[in-house]
Amino acid sequence: MDEPAVLVQDLCVVRGSRTVLPGLTVAVPRGQVVGLLGPSGGGKSTLLRAIVGVQIIESGTVTVLGEPAGSAGLRSRVGYVTQSPSVFADLTVTQNLRYFASLVGASSASIAEAITAVDLTSHADTRVGELSGGQHSRASLAAALVGSPELLVLDEPTVGLDPVLRRDLWELFHRLADAGTTLLVSSHVMDEATRCDRLLLLREGVILADDTPDGLLRRTGAADAEQAFLTLIEAEPAA
Amino acid sequence: MKPRLTLATAGRVLRQVRADPRTIALLIVVPCVLIGLLAWVFSGTPVFDAIGAPLLGIFPFVVMFLVTSVATLRERTSGTLERLLTTPLGKADFLLGYALAFGALAIVQALVATGFAVWVCGLDPVGPTGLLVLVAVVDALLGTAFGLFVSAFARTEFQAVQFMPAFVLPQFLLCGLLVARDEMPTVLHWISNVLPLSYAVDAMTLVSTSADATGQVLGKVGIVLAFAIGALLLGSLTLRRRTA
């Protein structure tokens, strides 16, 4: 089990005329909540898309749970939540989850569990299109929880949520990690850094730091993650 | 392809349609209104008997083309398609799920429209009425298949809707309804030979004018089905798991 959940080697992604990831190498250890932090447009979503196997890549390898990213065997083992909520707005929460559960062969008990986990029990029979923005994105998250995937790839799952819900979701992430799930969670909100077991700081396609939150603060002598991030950028030789 | 996932997808699409009663009403009522208007406009002339049946085949094609291309486009732009393609759902499951769901709607639509044309508007085909329904359903499936295919080339709903006149009206002009296909300029006749709607209209015309052309009708229906399957196959090529 020492093998990392995700191993990215020399990943190069070009979108249009722009090189988004110019040869990125990184590993995500198993059973942890790993935060992928950095400014918008820095390549976070692109990296996540490459890990779930929907991104056309120029070169390099992405190995997920021991298999090449996107291979058929991984599709029920990896859960993916896109940045904008991707559930069916004209179906209820339960109807959505029932469909996603049937795709990954999950039991109907797991549907209720997922709804409870994202605290949408009172809205289980509400159409997703009628939910608030935060509820909508939680419904999208729940659709990835059914079937208990071994790896959860979450693109900005806490955007637009109030502090209480954000805290609850991070607690959920840690409960899942304690049960053995690996979570890779992106965010551009630096204060979420302290909630992660490990941090990846990504800027302009380059990993600036791959460390624990404490390690990062110690190394940079900064008071918080935001300050640490700025310190690292300033220490970088001008490109 | 996994039949369980295909059926789950078809069920999901139907539940989405059910959540939108106005769309259902439009699907069922619009063809009837158009056929009713047509019968009224041409009342007292033999024209309705001549073109009623072909139009009964064209309306479901047009309606299903529109509904399917917009539905699939929504799936592409909302991110649900990208997400679905990271699950065990196969591309064939996705496309056939849509084809099954809209095929089921097409059966209801064809039954109601044909019933309305025959019993209310007095359309009197020489051939069996059941064949009218069959041809109408296959035409609707053709619309669904082409809608699935064409939606790949539209980035916005505006574009998807524009594909209707771009894609359907030329076929309508060349299908033999306005001018018999063998009386057209040779080049146009050739072009009409490779357009699916020509065979759909041929089949409808045969049902409405001859009593014992069932074999010929089924031949034309087979050609229309082949076009539909071809469009589905092309559609599966446009569905990519990996995108830029």
Side-chain angles (χ1 to χ4, degrees), chain A residues 177-201:
Chain A
D178 290 343
T181 308
T182 305
L183 292 97
L184 181 57
V185 184
S186 81
S187 175
H188 67 272
V189 186
M190 287 299 156
D191 63 8
E192 300 208 306
T194 49
R195 301 185 186 274
C196 305
D197 297 321
R198 198 168 183 86
L199 291 177
L200 301 171
L201 288 188

Side-chain angles (χ1 to χ4, degrees), chain A residues 90-237:
Chain A
D90 32 18
L91 297 182
T92 67
V93 176
T94 308
Q95 285 173 334
N96 264 292
L97 293 205
R98 206 175 287 146
Y99 177 55
F100 282 99
S102 70
L103 295 185
V104 294
S107 67
S108 44
S110 68
I111 297 172
E113 275 171 37
I115 294 178
T116 311
V118 299
D119 195 23
L120 278 179
T121 315
S122 55
H123 292 84
D125 295 318
T126 309
R127 261 187 226 158
V128 170
E130 292 163 14
L131 298 175
S132 73
Q135 293 167 332
H136 196 161
S137 61
R138 276 184 284 149
S140 187
L141 172 61
L145 296 180
V146 290
S148 315
E150 293 163 55
L151 171 68
L152 270 170
V153 177
L154 311 177
D155 201 351
E156 309 243 357
T158 57
V159 162
L161 298 185
D162 67 65
V164 177
L165 272 171
R166 258 166 57 183
R167 184 201 61 200
D168 290 352
L169 277 188
W170 281 102
E171 282 172 10
L172 168 67
F173 297 162
H174 282 284
R175 279 205 305 280
L176 291 167
D178 290 343
T181 308
T182 305
L183 292 97
L184 181 57
V185 184
S186 81
S187 175
H188 67 272
V189 186
M190 287 299 156
D191 63 8
E192 300 208 306
T194 49
R195 301 185 186 274
C196 305
D197 297 321
R198 198 168 183 86
L199 291 177
L200 301 171
L201 288 188
L202 182 67
R203 181 174 175 266
E204 288 172 8
V206 177
I207 296 279
L208 293 184
D210 177 358
D211 209 336
T212 59
D214 285 345
L216 180 70
L217 296 183
R218 222 175 307 126
R219 188 152 66 88
T220 56
D224 56 34
E226 183 139 2
Q227 199 55 52
F229 189 63
L230 291 171
T231 310
L232 285 170
I233 291 172
E234 276 153 19
E236 216 185 356

Side-chain angles (χ1 to χ4, degrees), chain A residues 53-76:
Chain A
V54 296
Q55 176 67 52
I56 294 176
I57 63 176
E58 194 73 14
S59 59
T61 57
V62 183
T63 310
V64 176
L65 305 170
E67 290 185 58
S71 46
L74 286 176
R75 290 192 193 126
S76 52

Side-chain angles (χ1 to χ4, degrees), chain B:
Chain B
M1 203 194 96
K2 304 166 206 79
R4 192 175 55 78
L5 301 189
T6 308
L7 288 175
T9 303
R12 185 264 296 175
V13 173
L14 283 175
R15 265 186 289 279
Q16 282 181 283
V17 175
R18 201 177 59 187
D20 185 357
R22 199 175 296 174
T23 290
I24 300 179
L26 287 168
L27 277 175
I28 303 297
V29 172
V30 170
C32 292
V33 170
L34 291 176
I35 288 162
L37 268 177
L38 192 75
W40 199 6
V41 167
F42 288 111
S43 58
T45 75
V47 178
F48 181 62
D49 276 329
I51 67 168
L55 284 173
L56 206 51
I58 292 174
F59 292 152
F61 171 76
V62 174
V63 172
M64 286 301 173
F65 176 87
L66 268 179
V67 172
T68 317
S69 55
V70 172
T72 328
L73 183 74
R74 270 174 56 193
E75 190 114 46
R76 286 176 198 271
T77 53
S78 69
T80 46
L81 180 63
E82 171 171 312
R83 179 180 209 166
L84 291 178
L85 291 178
T86 68
T87 71
L89 183 76
K91 291 190 266 186
D93 301 319
F94 177 83
L95 288 168
L96 287 177
Y98 261 94
L100 274 182
F102 284 116
L105 286 174
I107 291 175
V108 177
Q109 188 193 47
L111 282 172
V112 174
T114 310
F116 186 82
V118 170
W119 286 307
V120 180
C121 304
L123 183 72
D124 186 16
V126 179
T129 308
L131 265 186
L132 282 185
V133 177
L134 174 74
V135 180
V137 169
V138 173
D139 289 353
L141 274 178
L142 180 74
T144 295
F146 273 83
L148 282 167
F149 170 55
V150 165
S151 81
F153 302 101
R155 285 178 174 257
T156 65
E157 265 102 340
F158 286 145
Q159 292 177 9
V161 172
Q162 294 297 330
F163 274 123
M164 206 279 279
F167 204 79
V168 174
L169 288 187
Q171 294 201 57
F172 179 78
L173 294 177
L174 295 174
C175 71
L177 195 67
L178 304 180
V179 177
R181 291 205 292 130
D182 47 12
E183 290 166 18
M184 286 176 188
T186 318
V187 175
L188 292 184
H189 190 189
W190 287 343
I191 297 175
S192 78
N193 279 340
V194 294
L195 298 176
L197 204 59
S198 308
Y199 297 94
V201 168
D202 283 357
M204 279 302 203
T205 310
L206 278 170
V207 180
S208 61
T209 54
S210 52
D212 51 359
T214 305
Q216 267 178 288
V217 172
L218 291 180
K220 305 276 184 193
V221 166
I223 294 175
V224 176
L225 260 185
F227 270 107
I229 292 167
L232 279 181
L233 287 176
L234 284 175
S236 76
L237 293 179
T238 68
L239 277 187
R240 295 285 165 85
R241 278 190 200 274
R242 284 183 188 270
T243 52

